[in-house]
Amino acid sequence: MQEAELSCEADSENYLGGSSETIMYYIGLDVHKKTISYCVKEAAGHVHREGKIGATRGELDAWIQTLPQPRMMAMEATIFTGWIYDHLLPHAEKVKVAHPLVLRAIAAAKKKNDRIDAGKIADCLRCDFLPECHMASTEIRDRRRTLRYRNLVIRQMVQMKNRVSGLLMESGVSYDKQRLHKMGYFSELFSTNEEISDSIRPLLRLGREHILRGQRLDRALISSLERDPLLSERLRRLRTIPGVGPITALTWALEIGDYTRFPSVKEAISYCGLCSAEKSSADKVMRMPISKQRNKHIQHVLVEAAKLAPRYSHELALLREKEIQRGNKNRATLAVARKLVAYMLAVDRRKQDFVPAEELAAKAVA
């Protein structure tokens, strides 16, 4: 009897519903630029099939036709994951994406290759031990790609501005640092200043053209995102918050994506990298510096916005002064940034324009 009961329990673990037709297969994928290693395992952990295919849509389609059903798939988050995730999503019960840093810690081993990695991902998926990360919708990822491309344009533009200033300093040319990259001043300096040698004039002209192209491209990209029907209303509500401009609103909407995945403000603050790491052992609690496990894009934008937001909000100005008295300016900036996260999350949840606490109090009294 005991053997029969154990056999029934094993069957119930391997099958969903008790029928051999409903066995679930778990597929781990180790994704690379040109190839994808895969491992198909049954619920009991037996390897059903493993191998390697090319990382193209055609080979994926042919490979999918040979797989048993029903199936679940998992892969590690890489630069190639997005299109593979979208392509496989209609062909599996679930497709999950694993956090690379946490997965690396779980699957650390002396021997490591693509076949072993695919098997370990399949095991994590099979045992429900996969450190899953959020995968934004295709629409949000497409628009986020545009915003990050805009960030690249801005970085290159700043590098070119620094290079133009460097050329002038190398040649001993006197100029107004604050006005250098304004159109009228640069044209006047270029045409009238005799200290600019002929050797750097072509380079200065090329640098100026690069900066102007970057500015035009920046305006075009931001304008296209602001007019997007998927984002326009959400951006309008976010910009009612004091200190939140177009770039901050766009970065929040596209980097956060689905705000419902954050059940609390603390989790949103942690995702934005605005809190310190914690190490606790027994009765000792140690607070470490700001954690590197964060979304660096939104962290940078929020910190920069927090430096200017107190100018537009009395509440944020009071918060900043309070934190400066307790610590220093960096601590005050982080406190303001955390408050901005709370404001934006509240606006998204309520789907209403932001109303300052002072106005709410006045309405309550009235």
Side-chain angles (χ1 to χ4, degrees):
M1 290 293 292
Q2 291 180 349
E3 292 179 359
E5 290 176 359
L6 291 174
S7 177
C8 290
E9 290 175 2
D11 289 342
S12 66
E13 291 177 358
N14 292 336
Y15 300 98
L16 300 176
S19 172
S20 60
E21 296 179 357
T22 57
I23 182 172
M24 180 64 72
Y25 291 91
Y26 301 89
I27 305 172
L29 303 175
D30 189 44
V31 177
H32 294 278
K33 179 181 179 181
K34 296 183 179 180
T35 61
I36 301 174
S37 297
Y38 67 90
C39 180
V40 183
K41 289 193 175 185
E42 300 173 359
H46 304 301
V47 176
H48 177 79
R49 183 180 167 190
E50 58 185 353
K52 183 179 292 187
I53 58 173
T56 63
R57 289 179 172 84
E59 292 197 42
L60 277 175
D61 288 334
W63 171 70
I64 288 169
Q65 299 302 322
T66 66
L67 294 177
Q69 292 185 352
R71 51 190 174 238
M72 293 175 60
M73 300 183 182
M75 68 193 83
E76 186 179 0
T78 67
I79 191 175
F80 320 109
T81 299
W83 74 266
I84 297 174
Y85 174 88
D86 292 336
H87 197 74
L88 295 177
L89 196 57
H91 303 287
E93 301 295 320
K94 288 184 180 179
V95 180
K96 298 185 176 182
V97 179
H99 193 293
L101 293 178
V102 184
L103 185 66
R104 193 174 300 126
I106 294 172
K110 185 176 181 180
K111 186 177 180 181
K112 185 180 184 301
N113 56 48
D114 294 347
R115 182 181 61 83
I116 293 175
D117 287 348
K120 287 182 177 179
I121 292 174
D123 283 332
C124 289
L125 178 64
R126 180 176 60 86
C127 300
D128 196 21
F129 200 55
L130 190 78
E132 190 174 358
C133 64
H134 174 71
M135 200 68 180
S137 65
T138 305
E139 294 80 7
I140 291 295
R141 280 187 279 124
D142 289 343
R143 289 157 177 80
R144 185 172 62 192
R145 188 181 299 116
T146 301
L147 180 64
R148 291 184 179 181
Y149 185 83
R150 180 259 174 193
N151 295 338
L152 172 64
V153 171
I154 294 298
R155 286 198 300 271
Q156 292 178 342
M157 193 163 59
V158 170
Q159 289 175 353
M160 188 55 65
K161 286 182 178 181
N162 292 337
R163 188 56 191 146
V164 168
S165 301
L167 288 172
L168 294 174
M169 287 188 287
E170 288 175 7
S171 303
V173 179
S174 301
Y175 63 92
D176 187 341
K177 180 179 179 181
Q178 301 298 326
R179 300 173 58 199
L180 175 61
H181 299 293
K182 297 185 182 299
M183 174 62 76
Y185 180 80
F186 185 88
S187 300
E188 181 183 353
L189 180 71
F190 192 82
S191 59
T192 61
N193 196 312
E194 298 179 355
E195 296 179 350
I196 302 178
S197 63
D198 294 337
S199 61
I200 66 169
R201 284 182 178 274
L203 298 178
L204 291 174
R205 189 180 295 108
L206 287 173
R208 184 61 189 174
E209 291 175 357
H210 182 91
I211 293 170
L212 292 177
R213 281 197 303 270
Q215 291 173 344
R216 288 193 295 268
L217 184 57
D218 174 35
R219 289 193 294 268
L221 292 174
I222 293 299
S223 178
S224 66
L225 289 173
E226 287 181 326
R227 294 195 306 266
D228 194 297
L230 183 67
L231 301 173
S232 58
E233 182 60 25
R234 186 179 181 185
L235 295 177
R236 187 197 64 77
R237 289 195 300 266
L238 289 171
R239 292 191 63 181
T240 61
I241 301 172
V244 175
I247 304 302
T248 306
L250 273 171
T251 305
W252 172 267
L254 295 176
E255 295 294 342
I256 292 294
D258 182 11
Y259 58 86
T260 59
R261 63 192 177 104
F262 297 111
S264 67
V265 176
K266 287 184 178 180
E267 292 191 17
I269 289 172
S270 177
Y271 178 80
C272 296
L274 301 175
C275 61
S276 60
E278 178 183 339
K279 286 188 177 180
S280 301
S281 179
D283 57 345
K284 295 182 179 179
V285 179
M286 295 179 60
R287 282 291 180 179
M288 310 302 292
I290 295 294
S291 174
K292 297 296 182 182
Q293 296 187 29
R294 85 288 189 207
N295 185 316
K296 63 179 181 180
H297 303 282
I298 195 169
Q299 182 196 47
H300 172 74
V301 170
L302 285 173
V303 169
E304 294 302 317
K307 295 176 181 178
L308 299 176
R311 301 180 185 180
Y312 306 98
S313 171
H314 180 64
E315 297 173 29
L316 295 179
L318 291 178
L319 175 62
R320 183 176 183 276
E321 291 300 323
K322 180 181 177 181
E323 292 297 329
I324 286 179
Q325 293 176 3
R326 295 176 58 187
N328 53 42
K329 291 185 178 180
N330 292 336
R331 178 173 178 171
T333 300
L334 286 176
V336 173
R338 287 193 287 267
K339 182 61 74 173
L340 286 176
V341 170
Y343 286 166
M344 289 189 283
L345 193 60
V347 166
D348 276 340
R349 285 175 175 173
R350 297 173 184 173
K351 296 187 182 301
Q352 296 178 355
D353 293 353
F354 177 79
V355 180
E358 297 173 351
E359 292 186 18
L360 287 175
K363 290 180 180 179
V365 171

